[in-house]
Amino acid sequence: MPNNNTSSDLRLHKTSHPVIYEINIRVLLNELSAAKGKRITLDKIPDELVNEWANLGIDAVWLMGVWGSGAIGLQEAKNHHGLQEEFRRVLPDVTDDDIQSSPYAVQSYCVADALGGTSALLSLRKKLAKKGIGLILDYVPNHTARDHEWVFNHPEYYIHGHDGQEIENQVRYFRTETVGGEQTLAFGRDPYFPGWTDTAKLNPCHPETRKAMIETLKVISTMCDGVRCDMAMLVLNEVFLKTWEEQSKAIDVEPVESEFWADAIAATRALKPDFLFIAEAYWNLEWPLQQLGFNFTYDKTLYDRLLKEGASSVRQHLTAEGLYQTRSARFVENHDEPRVAQALPNEPWHFAAVTVAATVPGMFLLHEGQLDGRKKKLPVQLGRRPSEEKNNVTRTFYEKLLSTIDNDVIKKGEWQLLNVRPAWNDNYSSQNIIAYTWKKGADFWLIVVNYAPLNSQGYVELDFEKTKSTSLEFRDLIGPAVYVRNADGVRSKGMYFDLPGYGMHVFDV
């Protein structure tokens, strides 16, 4: 196993509100290499870039795309008609050299040679750790690449079909050579879509498969501080058996009945107690995954409500049980979603959405390029992205927001959602205002967001201890506003706000 000597003094382990920065590492290294005129590998990432991440208040970087990929994945990416159309739409001058295998068709959990290999990753990890930054890598439990060595040497690890099924159902099965001769295996997929044709579907109910998958996780844990688990809900017994029950039991050994994640997380944390597990999760299965040991689960519901629904829907979501809130990973974009600057081209709306996502409990997930206002979503099979002009207004806002939340009040404090009363009868605009506090010791912050395009008024009911002072000062940390109010008046009536469309404050009270 790789050497695992890195600093344990990570910001990631000192907060319940980490900021994670997703980076498409293949694209980043290609751009650095082009700029430097020579090949840049993981260990050669410039110190000034790592310093920039540290100065932004990043707690961990998630490097998407470090693992080895194979010839079949590359061939599928180049030949897939739908992907070709998407490539040309995003990158009109795309060439074969720009196309690569999907990062989620993993041929080997060894760092790709093109990135410098495992030694280069470990060197970067040490550099990150010196700045207190953790390292997150991907783990794909649902499938492997079709040319993973297990496919040939251990076909029993996979879901099988019957002979000829690859012809009857070409979107779900393929024929391949194995140590036992030609066999029909299933593509990886979720229950609602055709198969991913560059992948082979693992059977986590097979005892030897489960053992091998857990051993893989143990090896990954020596190279990083946590894993982002791709489509984690697909290996829950409920989902897996619904999709594959007949095929999963057509094996010559007794199937494993325990939950994969319970076994895998326990085994990994027996070696590394602080190891972080992040689940990509959908279909209201976040809570079961949290119960099985995940530190954080994707909060796609909040994402959908921020981008497609109104303040009442967002506020309702934030009334969920406290432990669920603190284990949710909030975001307004990632590599699977449209760029938020494109989805919300109205900057005040964009900034209001990201302020909510960044200042409620749980993890805040950022996507590289988001800070600069990039608008073009890049397919994961491309190693080059189009040039886009940096939006300095967006960059300035994100830098201010990130520096503001890099504070123990949010990093270690207690959060409370507040009630907002109408400012007067028949004025229902108070329903557009989302307000909450963070408290740590004597520190008290108030966040108020008008999550609507029109002016909204209301009284925010504040719960704070009686103070000897007769006045309260509300100092905005992301804007110029400073308000002084009578303490008893605020306590009895609430704090009155008249906010413009998507107006907001982050107050130090």
Side-chain angles (χ1 to χ4, degrees):
M1 287 188 179
N3 189 318
N4 195 34
N5 293 326
T6 58
S7 169
S8 61
D9 191 26
L10 298 178
R11 294 164 50 97
L12 188 65
H13 298 147
K14 300 177 180 179
T15 176
S16 60
H17 189 277
V19 176
I20 309 297
Y21 193 35
E22 179 191 1
I23 299 169
N24 185 328
I25 194 59
R26 298 173 179 178
V27 170
L28 175 64
L29 292 183
N30 286 341
E31 290 181 346
L32 291 173
S33 298
K36 298 287 185 180
K38 61 180 181 180
R39 181 185 174 215
I40 301 297
T41 50
L42 290 165
D43 53 331
K44 304 300 182 184
I45 288 178
D47 291 347
E48 55 265 31
L49 187 54
V50 175
N51 291 338
E52 177 185 316
W53 299 338
N55 292 337
L56 285 170
I58 302 300
D59 297 302
V61 292
W62 158 24
L63 301 186
M64 192 264 285
V66 304
W67 303 123
S69 56
I72 292 179
L74 179 59
Q75 180 183 355
E76 288 293 315
K78 288 183 175 181
N79 295 339
H80 192 285
H81 180 68
L83 284 177
Q84 290 297 319
E85 291 185 349
E86 187 177 2
F87 296 161
R88 288 191 292 272
R89 178 179 54 80
V90 175
L91 196 64
D93 61 341
V94 65
T95 69
D96 272 6
D97 290 340
D98 298 319
I99 301 172
Q100 57 198 3
S101 175
S102 167
Y104 296 101
V106 178
Q107 185 195 45
S108 168
Y109 283 98
C110 295
V111 180
D113 290 340
L115 308 185
T118 300
S119 62
L121 178 75
L122 296 179
S123 177
L124 173 61
R125 186 185 177 201
K126 289 181 180 179
K127 185 185 293 188
L128 292 168
K130 287 179 180 177
K131 295 293 181 179
I133 300 173
L135 175 62
I136 307 297
L137 301 177
D138 277 303
Y139 173 61
V140 186
N142 185 59
H143 52 260
T144 69
R146 282 167 50 188
D147 44 9
H148 191 291
E149 66 95 6
W150 288 351
V151 172
F152 181 81
N153 291 318
H154 294 285
E156 70 274 13
Y157 289 1
Y158 295 87
I159 292 291
H160 287 243
H162 58 73
D163 290 352
Q165 202 163 13
E166 76 281 359
I167 299 172
E168 300 167 10
N169 198 337
Q170 296 180 18
V171 298
R172 292 194 179 180
Y173 294 93
F174 66 99
R175 192 75 170 166
T176 188
E177 189 68 39
T178 76
V179 69
E182 281 201 351
Q183 298 189 35
T184 299
L185 303 182
F187 294 128
R189 68 179 180 91
D190 79 24
Y192 303 105
F193 293 95
W196 298 299
T197 57
D198 51 358
T199 70
K201 176 71 182 95
L202 288 164
N203 180 1
C205 289
H206 192 294
E208 293 304 314
T209 311
R210 180 163 301 196
K211 180 179 177 181
M213 291 171 69
I214 291 174
E215 287 304 312
T216 297
L217 256 177
K218 289 179 181 179
V219 172
I220 294 172
S221 76
T222 68
M223 295 185 250
C224 59
D225 304 293
V227 282
R228 176 265 189 192
C229 298
D230 184 69
M231 299 291 280
M233 73 287 180
L234 293 183
V235 292
L236 287 172
N237 288 347
E238 171 189 351
V239 177
F240 177 75
L241 293 176
K242 180 180 179 181
T243 313
W244 301 105
E245 184 170 15
E246 180 180 345
Q247 297 93 327
S248 70
K249 292 182 178 179
I251 56 178
D252 57 2
V253 292
E254 189 69 24
V256 183
E257 295 185 354
S258 58
E259 289 283 359
F260 168 76
W261 288 120
D263 295 344
I265 292 173
T268 307
R269 291 211 176 114
L271 297 177
K272 293 190 67 175
D274 292 332
F275 198 70
L276 198 74
F277 280 86
I278 305 166
E280 180 190 18
Y282 308 104
W283 313 332
N284 295 317
L285 292 171
E286 298 86 355
W287 179 246
L289 288 164
Q290 292 177 11
Q291 297 291 96
L292 291 171
F294 275 93
N295 301 85
F296 299 98
T297 57
Y298 269 37
D299 190 356
K300 180 67 160 54
T301 301
L302 180 63
Y303 169 85
D304 287 337
R305 293 183 176 188
L306 285 170
L307 271 71
K308 303 172 186 177
E309 303 176 25
S312 295
S313 178
V314 173
R315 188 187 305 104
Q316 178 62 36
H317 185 63
L318 295 176
T319 62
E321 198 271 334
L323 185 59
Y324 172 85
Q325 299 283 357
T326 60
R327 291 188 175 182
S328 293
R330 325 288 192 165
F331 54 88
V332 293
E333 73 168 66
N334 57 52
H335 71 265
D336 287 317
E337 307 295 348
R339 289 286 191 177
V340 65
Q342 177 65 33
L344 300 180
N346 176 338
E347 283 184 346
W349 188 359
H350 172 179
F351 297 164
V354 77
T355 296
V356 173
T359 60
V360 294
M363 170 184 288
F364 178 45
L365 175 61
L366 274 169
H367 187 203
E368 194 273 331
Q370 180 179 340
L371 282 71
D372 295 323
R374 281 187 171 269
K375 293 185 176 181
K376 294 189 177 180
K377 175 181 178 290
L378 191 73
V380 295
Q381 295 89 351
L382 287 183
R384 179 169 65 94
R385 62 184 172 184
S387 176
E388 294 188 61
E389 186 175 350
K390 181 185 293 187
N391 186 321
N392 291 322
V393 173
T394 299
R395 181 77 188 195
T396 299
F397 174 81
Y398 271 94
E399 289 179 348
K400 183 67 174 178
L401 177 65
L402 289 171
S403 67
T404 298
I405 67 173
D406 189 18
N407 187 291
D408 278 357
V409 177
I410 285 182
K411 291 287 187 183
K412 301 177 182 179
E414 295 182 2
W415 179 86
Q416 182 181 3
L417 186 66
L418 301 177
N419 186 47
V420 183
R421 290 187 288 103
W424 57 83
N425 290 338
D426 300 326
N427 181 351
Y428 303 108
S429 66
S430 60
Q431 298 174 9
N432 300 326
I433 298 175
I434 303 168
Y436 42 89
T437 57
W438 283 95
K439 300 178 185 178
K440 186 179 185 298
D443 294 319
F444 185 96
W445 284 18
L446 168 66
I447 291 94
V448 183
V449 179
N450 173 22
Y451 207 69
L454 304 176
N455 281 38
S456 298
Q457 302 81 29
Y459 283 94
V460 176
E461 297 180 356
L462 286 169
D463 176 23
F464 57 91
E465 295 178 4
K466 192 170 181 64
T467 174
K468 295 180 181 179
S469 174
T470 59
S471 63
L472 296 172
E473 180 186 84
F474 295 76
R475 180 170 56 88
D476 197 342
L477 300 175
I478 61 172
V482 178
Y483 302 136
V484 178
R485 297 288 185 269
N486 177 271
D488 289 337
V490 170
R491 185 181 291 106
S492 61
K493 293 182 61 178
M495 176 76 172
Y496 175 75
F497 287 99
D498 183 352
L499 293 167
Y502 297 113
M504 58 193 171
H505 298 291
V506 178
F507 287 120
D508 181 3
V509 183

